[in-house]
Amino acid sequence: MNILDIRGLTKKFGDFVAVDNMSLTIREGEIFGFLGANGAGKSTTINMISSLLRPTSGEIRILEKDIAKQSRFAKTNLGIVPQDLAIYEDMTAYENVSFFAGLYGLRGDKLKERAEEALEFVGLSDKAKSFPKNFSGGMKRRLNIACAIAHKPKLIIMDEPTVGIDPQSRNYILTSVRKLNESGCTIIYTSHYMEEVEEICSRIAIVDHGKIIAEGTKEQLKSTITDVKDIRIELKSVQGTEGELLKPVPGVRTVLQEENVIRVHSDAAVDNLNRILKQLMDAGKEIRSVEEQEPNLETVFLTLTGRNLRD
Amino acid sequence: MWRDIWFLATRTLLMTFRKRSTLILYFGLPIAGIVATFLLYGSVGTTELRVGVVNEDSGQRIAEDTVGFVKNLDHVSIVHVSRNELKEQLAANKLDSGLIIDSGFSESVLSGSPDHIAIESVKGAQVTGYMKSMLRGYIDNVAAMGKIAGGDGTTFQQIYDQYRSSAFKLTSESVNDTSLAKQMSYQSIGFLLLFMLNSAASLAELMLKHRENRTYYRILSSPINAKTYVLANIAVNAVVMLAQIVIALFFMKVVFHMDPGISVFEMFALLAIFAVVSISLSLVIIAFSKSSGMAGALQNLIIVPTCLLSGCFFPLSIMPETLRRVSDFLPQSWVLQSIEKLQEGATFGSIGFHLSILLAFAVVFFLIATYKFGRNNDTRNFV
Ligand SMILES: Nc1ncnc2c1ncn2[C@@H]1O[C@H](COP(=O)(O)OP(=O)(O)O)[C@@H](O)[C@H]1O
Ligand SMILES: [Mg+2]
């Protein structure tokens, strides 16, 4: 069964098109990655799925029911982990979870049980009676998740759940996502961190300027770019003029710079490594190491958009 | 939907009132207001009512006797002054009230239709009410004698002499204390109106805070819709204000033994209507505020000044005429006017006009808020 069906979804803010005629189908049981740079339109799409924003046009179905017509049904089956924390600082962790779960009609012992279960799941049981204002960033993020899962939704949408947290909390969250999925939840995982998406998602859509520009499994996405190679050159120091230097080399498509590393995307078919290195050495650059990388999602993104995901 | 409202409202109440500071804000302050008025008026409670008398009908027996009658009232002392002196001394608070008898007063009483007499005060009807009612009784009696005598001087003289010898022995019971209590409760209610408006506005601010900390959106992504959420908050608001009213009336009546001169039920009903006005005003504040900070600013901008202008802090009568006219556009003033009317003995039914004005305020505010909400292209647009 399709848990989410989006057809021709568009959202305009004035003249600005944030989501542009997007169509997408997600089946039950997937961990679906929604990958895109900041401002790509991910959150806007999610806000429309969760009925917070009305689409300018298009249709959204959850479990094959139109959310505009059966919003209660849609909302009951949906759990949203919003990008910005949405918790009450002056209520304890337990009270937060129990309040939000109560909005879905849970009461009494059942509510208590579910709230405790959710806190346990995100590893905050021992903090149940503490106030979030004393929590670390990672703990707040985990509470933010607990508030979205206590009512046991079939579809959980996580909007950048790992922004700005320590690696330990991040791992905890990624593990939780897998566990949720194993327990039968479908998950849409939004992020602009490539590695996370690559690690946990079974299928991925790459979003740019409100459009899905590529979709498929990791392998499918990577296989689309067999014609590109990704060369990583570490220099002693980088001036920022290297791009200009390498552009004239046949086959070179894009040159990006990350600290003292430049990354060259080039046609796989053109044998140009020597010329690239010569060009650099002639300009007096001191090369520390050269490496040709396996294509990853970042390469895919770069190839498709000509931009780095982190820009 | 009712289940949802109940759940939201009870949770919000629990959440709001777990903090001692909010308890103090919502309930402590109204009580403090009553204590303050009690202390304020308690100290002047034993002093006399200082009446300045302007007698321009001097030499006439009835006028002289009228002055004498007032002089003999309990808790009243008089001084003879000129019109200008009266104005100055009232303004300087050296006098509480003035009795002005124009020439022709005695004549008019004799002819059976009393006229040319006026009472002035800067302290509101509670102060002069007692003197007024005693005086009216006296003058009406004398006027009735004038009518009976039918203009016959000697007959009148006979009846009048008889009346005088007994009338001046009449000592009023301590009505003055009641009038003081009336004024105290009037003032306490003035403060209560302020605190009711403030707590309505604070709850409005709370709703805006929930929009800022994004929990509002989490609520909206659950099966709860915006309407249910707003209704639940209105319910919370109503409960808080009804509790404020009950607590304030309890402290006035039971703890401080102030007799407002109105039945508790009438007072409660009147204030409950005002609660509806406050709630609809808070909706207007929400509709026009982009942030909780802006709501706070609006609250400061609107509430205290309008309370001042409508006589919540001191009686309107000391204000210039133009400002007094402004108060007709302020709901607080209609509550206070209703209280005055009821204290003067009007029935609840007879102040129907005042009550409908109050309800009209509520309806207008509500319409403004819904119109603005509609123009905001529904609350969901604020993601
Ligand atoms: N309420 C709004 N009004 C105007 N523009 C908006 C609004 N919400 C989002 N946008 C714009 O829409 C684009 C997509 O934003 P968003 O969906 O938040 O991106 P993402 O979540 O992928 O980072 C951004 O350029 C953003 O500025
Ligand atoms: Mg986003």
Side-chain angles (χ1 to χ4, degrees), chain A residues 13 16 18 37-44 83, chain B residues 383:
Chain A
F13 295 111
F16 179 75
N38 275 327
K42 304 181 297 290
S43 297
T44 306
Q83 173 172 357
Chain B
V383 178

Side-chain angles (χ1 to χ4, degrees), chain A residues 283-296:
Chain A
K285 308 277 172 195
E286 199 171 316
I287 298 172
R288 289 232 165 118
S289 70
V290 180
E291 199 183 337
E292 192 172 331
Q293 284 195 323
E294 280 287 295
N296 57 18

Side-chain angles (χ1 to χ4, degrees), chain B residues 285-296:
Chain B
I285 292 180
I286 294 176
F288 283 90
S289 300
K290 291 206 161 57
S291 67
S292 59
M294 186 168 161

Side-chain angles (χ1 to χ4, degrees), chain B residues 106-352:
Chain B
S106 303
E107 198 64 29
S108 71
V109 175
L110 250 178
S111 70
S113 48
D115 201 356
H116 302 289
I117 183 162
I119 291 175
E120 270 189 10
S121 168
V122 292
K123 295 214 167 154
Q126 303 78 17
V127 174
T128 50
Y130 156 64
M131 189 171 76
K132 217 185 243 174
S133 58
M134 295 306 286
L135 202 54
R136 180 175 297 152
Y138 173 75
I139 294 171
D140 282 352
N141 278 344
V142 180
M145 291 173 224
K147 264 196 187 133
I148 293 166
D152 180 350
T154 39
T155 324
F156 175 77
Q157 213 57 52
Q158 262 177 3
I159 313 174
Y160 185 62
D161 283 339
Q162 233 169 22
Y163 174 70
R164 274 190 73 201
S165 56
S166 56
F168 282 96
K169 282 185 205 115
L170 278 176
T171 44
S172 55
E173 32 157 341
S174 253
V175 195
N176 202 19
D177 292 340
T178 342
S179 88
L180 183 72
K182 276 182 185 169
Q183 194 177 8
M184 279 189 343
S185 37
Y186 172 93
Q187 205 64 80
S188 307
I189 298 289
F191 283 128
L192 180 61
L193 298 187
L194 169 73
F195 296 126
M196 282 170 72
L197 285 169
N198 266 338
S199 46
S202 300
L203 285 163
E205 223 179 307
L206 191 72
M207 283 173 74
L208 290 162
K209 278 217 179 85
H210 289 173
R211 198 142 82 192
E212 281 154 23
N213 72 17
R214 325 275 313 168
T215 49
Y216 172 66
Y217 300 109
R218 204 192 261 282
I219 292 173
L220 287 197
S221 70
S222 82
I224 309 278
N225 58 27
K227 199 162 75 186
T228 309
Y229 172 79
V230 172
L231 281 175
N233 277 281
I234 289 178
V236 168
N237 227 325
V239 168
V240 169
M241 271 187 285
L242 291 182
Q244 280 183 322
I245 297 172
V246 168
I247 289 174
L249 291 181
F250 175 82
F251 269 78
M252 278 167 62
K253 284 283 290 193
V254 180
V255 180
F256 290 105
H257 302 291
M258 293 182 200
D259 177 12
I262 305 177
S263 88
V264 176
F265 295 107
E266 286 174 350
M267 192 72 110
F268 182 85
L270 185 61
L271 291 170
I273 293 175
F274 185 72
V276 177
V277 179
S278 312
I279 289 173
S280 52
L281 177 68
S282 77
L283 292 177
V284 172
I285 292 180
I286 294 176
F288 283 90
S289 300
K290 291 206 161 57
S291 67
S292 59
M294 186 168 161
L298 272 181
Q299 172 182 355
N300 291 334
L301 210 67
I302 295 173
I303 295 179
V304 171
T306 56
C307 280
L308 195 80
L309 284 177
S310 50
C312 287
F313 306 139
F314 41 77
L316 267 186
S317 41
I318 69 163
M319 288 207 236
E321 181 61 27
T322 37
L323 283 185
R324 252 187 274 178
R325 238 176 266 143
V326 173
S327 73
D328 280 347
F329 298 95
L330 304 171
Q332 299 98 307
S333 138
W334 289 91
V335 175
L336 294 172
Q337 283 181 33
S338 303
I339 289 179
E340 263 180 11
K341 283 248 150 52
L342 290 171
Q343 283 181 336
E344 281 167 13
T347 62
F348 206 67
S350 68
I351 58 164

